[in-house]
PDB file of all heavy atoms in Angstrom:
ATOM      1  N   SER C   8     101.646 109.005 206.258  1.00  0.00           N
ATOM      2  CA  SER C   8     101.195 109.141 207.625  1.00  0.00           C
ATOM      3  C   SER C   8     100.820 110.584 207.922  1.00  0.00           C
ATOM      4  O   SER C   8     101.570 111.511 207.609  1.00  0.00           O
ATOM      5  CB  SER C   8     102.287 108.696 208.603  1.00  0.00           C
ATOM      6  OG  SER C   8     101.906 108.984 209.944  1.00  0.00           O
ATOM      7  N   GLY C   9      99.654 110.747 208.558  1.00  0.00           N
ATOM      8  CA  GLY C   9      99.233 112.064 209.016  1.00  0.00           C
ATOM      9  C   GLY C   9      99.285 112.187 210.512  1.00  0.00           C
ATOM     10  O   GLY C   9      98.715 113.123 211.074  1.00  0.00           O
ATOM     11  N   ALA C  10      99.984 111.268 211.166  1.00  0.00           N
ATOM     12  CA  ALA C  10      99.999 111.220 212.626  1.00  0.00           C
ATOM     13  C   ALA C  10     100.958 112.254 213.208  1.00  0.00           C
ATOM     14  O   ALA C  10     101.799 111.945 214.044  1.00  0.00           O
ATOM     15  CB  ALA C  10     100.359 109.820 213.093  1.00  0.00           C
ATOM     16  N   TYR C  11     100.821 113.458 212.747  1.00  0.00           N
ATOM     17  CA  TYR C  11     101.564 114.591 213.292  1.00  0.00           C
ATOM     18  C   TYR C  11     100.600 115.756 213.444  1.00  0.00           C
ATOM     19  O   TYR C  11     100.155 116.074 214.534  1.00  0.00           O
ATOM     20  CB  TYR C  11     102.735 114.948 212.379  1.00  0.00           C
ATOM     21  CG  TYR C  11     103.400 116.258 212.709  1.00  0.00           C
ATOM     22  CD1 TYR C  11     103.801 116.561 214.002  1.00  0.00           C
ATOM     23  CD2 TYR C  11     103.632 117.200 211.710  1.00  0.00           C
ATOM     24  CE1 TYR C  11     104.414 117.777 214.311  1.00  0.00           C
ATOM     25  CE2 TYR C  11     104.243 118.416 211.999  1.00  0.00           C
ATOM     26  CZ  TYR C  11     104.635 118.701 213.292  1.00  0.00           C
ATOM     27  OH  TYR C  11     105.223 119.898 213.576  1.00  0.00           O
ATOM     28  N   LEU C  12     100.220 116.349 212.350  1.00  0.00           N
ATOM     29  CA  LEU C  12      99.225 117.416 212.360  1.00  0.00           C
ATOM     30  C   LEU C  12      98.084 117.116 211.405  1.00  0.00           C
ATOM     31  O   LEU C  12      97.446 118.023 210.875  1.00  0.00           O
ATOM     32  CB  LEU C  12      99.889 118.748 212.001  1.00  0.00           C
ATOM     33  CG  LEU C  12     100.810 119.299 213.102  1.00  0.00           C
ATOM     34  CD1 LEU C  12     101.593 120.486 212.588  1.00  0.00           C
ATOM     35  CD2 LEU C  12      99.999 119.690 214.327  1.00  0.00           C
ATOM     36  N   GLY C  13      97.822 115.822 211.168  1.00  0.00           N
ATOM     37  CA  GLY C  13      96.640 115.426 210.423  1.00  0.00           C
ATOM     38  C   GLY C  13      96.873 115.121 208.959  1.00  0.00           C
ATOM     39  O   GLY C  13      97.973 115.286 208.420  1.00  0.00           O
ATOM     40  N   THR C  14      95.810 114.669 208.308  1.00  0.00           N
ATOM     41  CA  THR C  14      95.782 114.378 206.880  1.00  0.00           C
ATOM     42  C   THR C  14      94.769 115.289 206.223  1.00  0.00           C
ATOM     43  O   THR C  14      93.618 115.354 206.650  1.00  0.00           O
ATOM     44  CB  THR C  14      95.403 112.906 206.633  1.00  0.00           C
ATOM     45  OG1 THR C  14      96.409 112.059 207.202  1.00  0.00           O
ATOM     46  CG2 THR C  14      95.266 112.606 205.154  1.00  0.00           C
ATOM     47  N   SER C  15      95.198 116.011 205.208  1.00  0.00           N
ATOM     48  CA  SER C  15      94.322 116.935 204.489  1.00  0.00           C
ATOM     49  C   SER C  15      93.722 116.228 203.289  1.00  0.00           C
ATOM     50  O   SER C  15      94.437 115.569 202.516  1.00  0.00           O
ATOM     51  CB  SER C  15      95.117 118.164 204.029  1.00  0.00           C
ATOM     52  OG  SER C  15      94.259 119.223 203.662  1.00  0.00           O
ATOM     53  N   LEU C  16      92.393 116.327 203.122  1.00  0.00           N
ATOM     54  CA  LEU C  16      91.672 115.587 202.090  1.00  0.00           C
ATOM     55  C   LEU C  16      91.083 116.522 201.036  1.00  0.00           C
ATOM     56  O   LEU C  16      90.660 117.627 201.346  1.00  0.00           O
ATOM     57  CB  LEU C  16      90.540 114.775 202.719  1.00  0.00           C
ATOM     58  CG  LEU C  16      90.918 113.795 203.825  1.00  0.00           C
ATOM     59  CD1 LEU C  16      89.669 113.122 204.391  1.00  0.00           C
ATOM     60  CD2 LEU C  16      91.903 112.745 203.309  1.00  0.00           C
ATOM     61  N   ALA C  17      91.064 116.040 199.795  1.00  0.00           N
ATOM     62  CA  ALA C  17      90.406 116.762 198.700  1.00  0.00           C
ATOM     63  C   ALA C  17      89.857 115.735 197.723  1.00  0.00           C
ATOM     64  O   ALA C  17      90.573 114.799 197.332  1.00  0.00           O
ATOM     65  CB  ALA C  17      91.369 117.705 197.983  1.00  0.00           C
ATOM     66  N   ALA C  18      88.585 115.867 197.345  1.00  0.00           N
ATOM     67  CA  ALA C  18      87.933 114.917 196.442  1.00  0.00           C
ATOM     68  C   ALA C  18      87.527 115.597 195.144  1.00  0.00           C
ATOM     69  O   ALA C  18      87.107 116.759 195.131  1.00  0.00           O
ATOM     70  CB  ALA C  18      86.702 114.300 197.107  1.00  0.00           C
ATOM     71  N   ARG C  19      87.673 114.880 194.038  1.00  0.00           N
ATOM     72  CA  ARG C  19      87.185 115.356 192.748  1.00  0.00           C
ATOM     73  C   ARG C  19      86.826 114.138 191.920  1.00  0.00           C
ATOM     74  O   ARG C  19      87.663 113.251 191.720  1.00  0.00           O
ATOM     75  CB  ARG C  19      88.234 116.190 192.020  1.00  0.00           C
ATOM     76  CG  ARG C  19      87.767 116.757 190.666  1.00  0.00           C
ATOM     77  CD  ARG C  19      86.723 117.851 190.826  1.00  0.00           C
ATOM     78  NE  ARG C  19      87.322 119.038 191.400  1.00  0.00           N
ATOM     79  CZ  ARG C  19      86.878 119.615 192.510  1.00  0.00           C
ATOM     80  NH1 ARG C  19      85.854 119.090 193.168  1.00  0.00           N
ATOM     81  NH2 ARG C  19      87.430 120.701 192.975  1.00  0.00           N
ATOM     82  N   GLY C  20      85.555 114.044 191.477  1.00  0.00           N
ATOM     83  CA  GLY C  20      85.110 112.884 190.730  1.00  0.00           C
ATOM     84  C   GLY C  20      85.246 111.632 191.560  1.00  0.00           C
ATOM     85  O   GLY C  20      84.756 111.564 192.694  1.00  0.00           O
ATOM     86  N   SER C  21      85.934 110.623 191.034  1.00  0.00           N
ATOM     87  CA  SER C  21      86.094 109.356 191.750  1.00  0.00           C
ATOM     88  C   SER C  21      87.460 109.256 192.423  1.00  0.00           C
ATOM     89  O   SER C  21      87.909 108.149 192.737  1.00  0.00           O
ATOM     90  CB  SER C  21      85.904 108.176 190.799  1.00  0.00           C
ATOM     91  OG  SER C  21      86.877 108.209 189.763  1.00  0.00           O
ATOM     92  N   GLN C  22      88.107 110.389 192.664  1.00  0.00           N
ATOM     93  CA  GLN C  22      89.414 110.362 193.304  1.00  0.00           C
ATOM     94  C   GLN C  22      89.411 111.132 194.621  1.00  0.00           C
ATOM     95  O   GLN C  22      88.785 112.183 194.740  1.00  0.00           O
ATOM     96  CB  GLN C  22      90.490 110.944 192.388  1.00  0.00           C
ATOM     97  CG  GLN C  22      90.805 110.067 191.179  1.00  0.00           C
ATOM     98  CD  GLN C  22      91.934 110.623 190.348  1.00  0.00           C
ATOM     99  OE1 GLN C  22      91.909 111.780 189.944  1.00  0.00           O
ATOM    100  NE2 GLN C  22      92.942 109.797 190.084  1.00  0.00           N
ATOM    101  N   LEU C  23      90.115 110.565 195.586  1.00  0.00           N
ATOM    102  CA  LEU C  23      90.336 111.218 196.866  1.00  0.00           C
ATOM    103  C   LEU C  23      91.839 111.387 197.031  1.00  0.00           C
ATOM    104  O   LEU C  23      92.596 110.419 196.993  1.00  0.00           O
ATOM    105  CB  LEU C  23      89.769 110.377 198.009  1.00  0.00           C
ATOM    106  CG  LEU C  23      89.977 110.933 199.424  1.00  0.00           C
ATOM    107  CD1 LEU C  23      89.138 112.195 199.637  1.00  0.00           C
ATOM    108  CD2 LEU C  23      89.622 109.874 200.469  1.00  0.00           C
ATOM    109  N   PHE C  24      92.264 112.633 197.207  1.00  0.00           N
ATOM    110  CA  PHE C  24      93.673 112.944 197.412  1.00  0.00           C
ATOM    111  C   PHE C  24      93.907 113.170 198.902  1.00  0.00           C
ATOM    112  O   PHE C  24      93.118 113.842 199.565  1.00  0.00           O
ATOM    113  CB  PHE C  24      94.063 114.191 196.618  1.00  0.00           C
ATOM    114  CG  PHE C  24      93.839 114.057 195.136  1.00  0.00           C
ATOM    115  CD1 PHE C  24      92.613 114.388 194.576  1.00  0.00           C
ATOM    116  CD2 PHE C  24      94.847 113.588 194.308  1.00  0.00           C
ATOM    117  CE1 PHE C  24      92.396 114.265 193.213  1.00  0.00           C
ATOM    118  CE2 PHE C  24      94.641 113.462 192.933  1.00  0.00           C
ATOM    119  CZ  PHE C  24      93.406 113.799 192.388  1.00  0.00           C
ATOM    120  N   ALA C  25      94.988 112.616 199.418  1.00  0.00           N
ATOM    121  CA  ALA C  25      95.293 112.707 200.836  1.00  0.00           C
ATOM    122  C   ALA C  25      96.703 113.245 201.022  1.00  0.00           C
ATOM    123  O   ALA C  25      97.680 112.637 200.558  1.00  0.00           O
ATOM    124  CB  ALA C  25      95.150 111.328 201.500  1.00  0.00           C
ATOM    125  N   GLY C  26      96.803 114.389 201.702  1.00  0.00           N
ATOM    126  CA  GLY C  26      98.098 114.976 201.987  1.00  0.00           C
ATOM    127  C   GLY C  26      98.489 114.696 203.419  1.00  0.00           C
ATOM    128  O   GLY C  26      97.781 115.085 204.346  1.00  0.00           O
ATOM    129  N   TYR C  27      99.616 114.045 203.631  1.00  0.00           N
ATOM    130  CA  TYR C  27     100.008 113.554 204.948  1.00  0.00           C
ATOM    131  C   TYR C  27     101.048 114.479 205.596  1.00  0.00           C
ATOM    132  O   TYR C  27     102.101 114.766 205.009  1.00  0.00           O
ATOM    133  CB  TYR C  27     100.578 112.143 204.819  1.00  0.00           C
ATOM    134  CG  TYR C  27      99.599 111.141 204.241  1.00  0.00           C
ATOM    135  CD1 TYR C  27      99.719 110.696 202.925  1.00  0.00           C
ATOM    136  CD2 TYR C  27      98.540 110.663 205.004  1.00  0.00           C
ATOM    137  CE1 TYR C  27      98.819 109.777 202.389  1.00  0.00           C
ATOM    138  CE2 TYR C  27      97.640 109.744 204.480  1.00  0.00           C
ATOM    139  CZ  TYR C  27      97.781 109.308 203.169  1.00  0.00           C
ATOM    140  OH  TYR C  27      96.884 108.411 202.638  1.00  0.00           O
ATOM    141  N   SER C  28     100.764 114.900 206.822  1.00  0.00           N
ATOM    142  CA  SER C  28     101.630 115.865 207.489  1.00  0.00           C
ATOM    143  C   SER C  28     102.858 115.240 208.149  1.00  0.00           C
ATOM    144  O   SER C  28     103.833 115.942 208.413  1.00  0.00           O
ATOM    145  CB  SER C  28     100.837 116.646 208.543  1.00  0.00           C
ATOM    146  OG  SER C  28     100.400 115.786 209.584  1.00  0.00           O
ATOM    147  N   ALA C  29     102.836 113.970 208.456  1.00  0.00           N
ATOM    148  CA  ALA C  29     103.986 113.332 209.099  1.00  0.00           C
ATOM    149  C   ALA C  29     104.982 112.796 208.072  1.00  0.00           C
ATOM    150  O   ALA C  29     106.184 113.043 208.161  1.00  0.00           O
ATOM    151  CB  ALA C  29     103.527 112.205 210.022  1.00  0.00           C
ATOM    152  N   SER C  30     104.497 112.067 207.071  1.00  0.00           N
ATOM    153  CA  SER C  30     105.389 111.527 206.044  1.00  0.00           C
ATOM    154  C   SER C  30     105.660 112.545 204.938  1.00  0.00           C
ATOM    155  O   SER C  30     106.504 112.306 204.065  1.00  0.00           O
ATOM    156  CB  SER C  30     104.793 110.243 205.444  1.00  0.00           C
ATOM    157  OG  SER C  30     103.488 110.484 204.952  1.00  0.00           O
ATOM    158  N   LEU C  31     104.971 113.672 204.961  1.00  0.00           N
ATOM    159  CA  LEU C  31     105.219 114.783 204.033  1.00  0.00           C
ATOM    160  C   LEU C  31     105.041 114.384 202.577  1.00  0.00           C
ATOM    161  O   LEU C  31     105.837 114.763 201.711  1.00  0.00           O
ATOM    162  CB  LEU C  31     106.635 115.345 204.249  1.00  0.00           C
ATOM    163  CG  LEU C  31     107.049 115.644 205.689  1.00  0.00           C
ATOM    164  CD1 LEU C  31     108.459 116.207 205.727  1.00  0.00           C
ATOM    165  CD2 LEU C  31     106.074 116.606 206.348  1.00  0.00           C
ATOM    166  N   ASN C  32     103.992 113.621 202.275  1.00  0.00           N
ATOM    167  CA  ASN C  32     103.744 113.228 200.896  1.00  0.00           C
ATOM    168  C   ASN C  32     102.243 113.130 200.632  1.00  0.00           C
ATOM    169  O   ASN C  32     101.427 113.410 201.514  1.00  0.00           O
ATOM    170  CB  ASN C  32     104.460 111.909 200.549  1.00  0.00           C
ATOM    171  CG  ASN C  32     104.195 110.802 201.562  1.00  0.00           C
ATOM    172  OD1 ASN C  32     103.294 110.895 202.386  1.00  0.00           O
ATOM    173  ND2 ASN C  32     104.992 109.744 201.497  1.00  0.00           N
ATOM    174  N   ILE C  33     101.872 112.763 199.406  1.00  0.00           N
ATOM    175  CA  ILE C  33     100.475 112.759 198.965  1.00  0.00           C
ATOM    176  C   ILE C  33     100.117 111.400 198.385  1.00  0.00           C
ATOM    177  O   ILE C  33     100.855 110.839 197.567  1.00  0.00           O
ATOM    178  CB  ILE C  33     100.232 113.854 197.901  1.00  0.00           C
ATOM    179  CG1 ILE C  33     100.544 115.241 198.481  1.00  0.00           C
ATOM    180  CG2 ILE C  33      98.793 113.807 197.387  1.00  0.00           C
ATOM    181  CD1 ILE C  33     100.532 116.350 197.449  1.00  0.00           C
ATOM    182  N   GLY C  34      98.975 110.858 198.800  1.00  0.00           N
ATOM    183  CA  GLY C  34      98.466 109.610 198.256  1.00  0.00           C
ATOM    184  C   GLY C  34      97.205 109.835 197.453  1.00  0.00           C
ATOM    185  O   GLY C  34      96.486 110.819 197.654  1.00  0.00           O
ATOM    186  N   VAL C  35      96.911 108.929 196.526  1.00  0.00           N
ATOM    187  CA  VAL C  35      95.721 109.017 195.681  1.00  0.00           C
ATOM    188  C   VAL C  35      94.893 107.751 195.865  1.00  0.00           C
ATOM    189  O   VAL C  35      95.405 106.628 195.720  1.00  0.00           O
ATOM    190  CB  VAL C  35      96.085 109.192 194.201  1.00  0.00           C
ATOM    191  CG1 VAL C  35      94.817 109.393 193.369  1.00  0.00           C
ATOM    192  CG2 VAL C  35      97.041 110.376 194.004  1.00  0.00           C
ATOM    193  N   TRP C  36      93.619 107.950 196.199  1.00  0.00           N
ATOM    194  CA  TRP C  36      92.681 106.852 196.405  1.00  0.00           C
ATOM    195  C   TRP C  36      91.589 106.889 195.342  1.00  0.00           C
ATOM    196  O   TRP C  36      91.189 107.972 194.895  1.00  0.00           O
ATOM    197  CB  TRP C  36      92.025 106.956 197.778  1.00  0.00           C
ATOM    198  CG  TRP C  36      92.941 106.881 198.955  1.00  0.00           C
ATOM    199  CD1 TRP C  36      93.712 107.886 199.461  1.00  0.00           C
ATOM    200  CD2 TRP C  36      93.178 105.734 199.784  1.00  0.00           C
ATOM    201  NE1 TRP C  36      94.419 107.439 200.563  1.00  0.00           N
ATOM    202  CE2 TRP C  36      94.106 106.129 200.788  1.00  0.00           C
ATOM    203  CE3 TRP C  36      92.685 104.428 199.789  1.00  0.00           C
ATOM    204  CZ2 TRP C  36      94.555 105.257 201.767  1.00  0.00           C
ATOM    205  CZ3 TRP C  36      93.133 103.557 200.777  1.00  0.00           C
ATOM    206  CH2 TRP C  36      94.058 103.961 201.749  1.00  0.00           C
TER     207      TRP C  36
END
């Protein structure tokens, strides 16, 4: 969840990384 101070995004190739400010973790899409 980024429903605090947002979700930070970074893309490389066919992957999108998402850093979540509320749940304090990182997801991979």
Side-chain angles (χ1 to χ4, degrees):
S8 173
Y11 169 50
L12 289 171
T14 297
S15 196
L16 304 177
R19 182 70 69 236
S21 61
Q22 290 184 307
L23 178 69
F24 301 88
Y27 300 105
S28 65
S30 55
L31 312 181
N32 50 14
I33 300 171
V35 185
W36 299 80

